Amino acid sequence: MKPIVLDKKQRAEIEKRRRESHDKRIYARLSAVLWVADGRQRQEVAALVGISVRQLTDWLRIFRNQGLAALCMLHYKGDPGNLTPGQVEQLKEKISQGHFRSSRQIQRWLKDTFAVSYSSTGVKDLLLRIGASYHQVSGFLWKGNPNKQRAFVKKVRRHQREAKRKGAPLTRRYYVDACHPIWGMDLVFRCWLLVGQRFLVGVGAGRSRLNILGAYCPDDHEYLDIRLTRDNINGEQFVNLLRLLYDAHPETEKFILYVDGAKYYSKPIVKEWLARHPQFHLVTIPAYSPNCNLIERLWKLLRKEAFNRWHKTFDSMQAGVSEVLDHLPNYRRELETLMTENFHILKKQDIPVEYREVA
């Protein structure tokens, strides 16, 4: 039997498809390919998936000869029920446009449009059969300019190449941004509860706020910050962060800092400090483009880890923040995949027409 050998790119694509698959049959096929590639015996893999070795061999032959797309193609689609193929396509088109907030709305639409009645369970089964799922919408800043974002990413790639050239000045790059956790208000977690149960979590008045101005280096995952409980982030505090970077790496010949459009980056005190330290260079991230600021992902991790529980006092909240930001090596595995300079920039065809017209 021929072995299954996957390169890094193939494995990543199979794992991605497996995560996103809502069909157990496709999930089983993808898992089988991964397990065989890992060196497991085919008899063991067939038993895990619940199929015969012959069926497993057929799957592997399809993958080897026809590729991943063919492996994920199911020739048996199931009975669409009371709808014709054309009606199913109309329903899928309507779903893809985000018209329905509940299965009950789909029930009504099917009855009004096609005079076809489904029970509550029946319409949910129908949706699963045609490949629909219920999940949260993805928000985006419609004022962000994809062309400017792509130009920024191009600039980042150029900085990466220049820093690696022979004879280039010793360079460090940082993504800089502010974060403002509010005690008693930032609660980011969900949990299982008993049917009919209410679980109460106390919140504060939102008057106690922790101001964080952080800098994250994508090349070695170094993180430095300034945390303030009384003062706001301003030009003077940004200069303090610059001093912190300079003191931490006095041998560095060139600092590149990617910053957003906050006004304190252009204050006179900042301009004066930069004039005295020409090794520091500020590169502005396009407006409405948090997707291009890598440190935004770190703030997301911070909220997920530090605000998944209620903090009784403001000091307790600060301790929770420190528990994450002062011990980032504990999250190294997560950071290695999260904090990569792979930026998701929307393509024009992905943006709904109404937003294109407004922009």
Side-chain angles (χ1 to χ4, degrees):
M1 295 183 182
K2 294 182 180 179
I4 297 293
V5 180
L6 303 176
D7 59 32
K8 190 175 181 180
K9 184 177 180 181
Q10 287 175 314
R11 179 174 287 275
E13 176 62 21
I14 293 174
E15 290 176 345
K16 180 175 182 291
R17 287 210 184 195
R18 186 171 68 164
R19 284 195 306 271
E20 296 175 352
S21 175
H22 297 290
D23 193 303
K24 291 182 180 179
R25 296 168 294 176
I26 294 177
Y27 187 93
R29 293 185 180 196
L30 297 174
S31 296
V33 171
L34 290 172
W35 291 337
V36 171
D38 287 339
R40 293 195 182 193
Q41 295 296 319
R42 299 194 179 193
Q43 291 83 353
E44 178 190 1
V45 173
L48 287 171
V49 179
I51 59 173
S52 66
V53 175
R54 183 176 180 179
Q55 179 67 66
L56 173 63
T57 303
D58 289 342
W59 288 355
L60 299 178
R61 186 184 302 113
I62 292 171
F63 174 72
R64 187 185 297 109
N65 297 334
Q66 301 177 46
L68 183 59
L71 180 68
C72 295
M73 185 179 296
L74 299 175
H75 297 287
Y76 175 72
K77 297 292 185 180
D79 181 9
N82 300 323
L83 300 181
T84 67
Q87 290 172 336
V88 169
E89 290 305 312
Q90 288 185 55
L91 173 60
K92 289 170 71 173
E93 176 65 21
K94 205 74 175 172
I95 291 172
S96 70
Q97 297 171 4
H99 282 282
F100 304 115
R101 304 291 184 268
S102 67
S103 60
R104 184 169 295 179
Q105 289 181 346
I106 297 177
Q107 270 183 290
R108 288 197 294 266
W109 184 83
L110 290 172
K111 190 169 184 178
D112 294 342
T113 308
F114 303 129
V116 176
S117 297
Y118 276 89
S119 66
S120 178
T121 302
V123 75
K124 291 175 183 176
D125 290 341
L126 168 68
L127 293 171
L128 288 175
R129 286 199 301 272
I130 67 175
S133 63
Y134 189 79
H135 52 82
Q136 189 170 340
V137 300
S138 300
F140 74 101
L141 293 177
W142 57 269
K143 286 188 177 182
N145 188 315
N147 293 328
K148 290 182 179 179
Q149 292 177 2
R150 275 187 282 272
F152 170 77
V153 173
K154 216 179 235 186
K155 189 180 293 185
V156 170
R157 300 287 179 258
R158 177 167 56 80
H159 293 160
Q160 291 173 321
R161 292 193 302 270
E162 291 174 349
K164 293 177 182 178
R165 285 177 187 166
K166 189 176 180 180
L170 183 60
T171 303
R172 291 191 65 80
R173 301 180 305 117
Y174 291 90
Y175 289 83
V176 178
D177 190 36
C179 181
H180 310 280
I182 302 175
W183 172 58
M185 301 298 288
D186 287 335
L187 290 171
V188 188
F189 71 92
R190 297 179 181 181
C191 63
W192 288 97
L193 296 173
L194 300 175
V195 174
Q197 178 189 1
R198 293 184 67 196
F199 184 72
L200 302 179
V201 179
V203 297
R207 295 177 181 176
S208 299
R209 187 173 77 169
L210 177 62
N211 295 312
I212 306 170
L213 183 60
Y216 187 90
C217 176
D219 301 312
D220 59 10
H221 303 294
E222 179 193 48
Y223 170 77
L224 297 168
D225 70 19
I226 290 175
R227 298 172 207 172
L228 308 165
T229 57
R230 295 182 180 178
D231 298 329
N232 294 322
I233 305 296
N234 53 32
E236 183 179 346
Q237 298 299 344
F238 178 54
V239 169
N240 288 336
L241 179 65
L242 296 177
R243 291 195 183 103
L244 188 63
L245 297 175
Y246 182 76
D247 292 341
H249 301 282
E251 75 289 350
T252 299
E253 300 171 85
K254 186 177 182 180
F255 290 87
I256 299 177
L257 275 60
Y258 304 114
V259 300
D260 59 21
K263 291 183 179 180
Y264 45 75
Y265 294 126
S266 59
K267 291 295 183 180
I269 188 173
V270 176
K271 292 180 179 179
E272 291 171 8
W273 198 92
L274 293 175
R276 296 196 306 272
H277 300 82
Q279 64 269 52
F280 280 81
H281 305 268
L282 303 190
V283 178
T284 304
I285 298 170
Y288 307 105
S289 302
N291 54 306
C292 291
N293 195 344
L294 193 64
I295 201 172
E296 291 282 359
R297 302 181 200 171
L298 182 63
W299 301 148
K300 186 175 181 180
L301 174 70
L302 171 65
R303 290 188 171 92
K304 173 187 169 187
E305 298 295 336
F307 300 104
N308 59 3
R309 60 193 182 278
W310 178 58
H311 298 285
K312 189 174 182 179
T313 64
F314 181 55
D315 289 341
S316 173
M317 187 198 79
Q318 291 184 75
V321 170
S322 299
E323 190 178 310
V324 177
L325 295 181
D326 294 344
H327 301 89
L328 288 181
N330 295 341
Y331 305 92
R332 182 165 301 279
R333 178 175 294 182
E334 191 166 356
L335 292 173
E336 284 176 354
T337 56
L338 180 68
M339 305 301 287
T340 61
E341 290 177 291
N342 296 324
F343 301 103
H344 178 65
I345 298 174
L346 290 177
K347 297 176 182 178
K348 187 175 181 180
Q349 59 267 29
D350 295 331
I351 302 175
V353 176
E354 59 267 29
Y355 294 106
R356 288 184 228 163
E357 293 172 351
V358 173

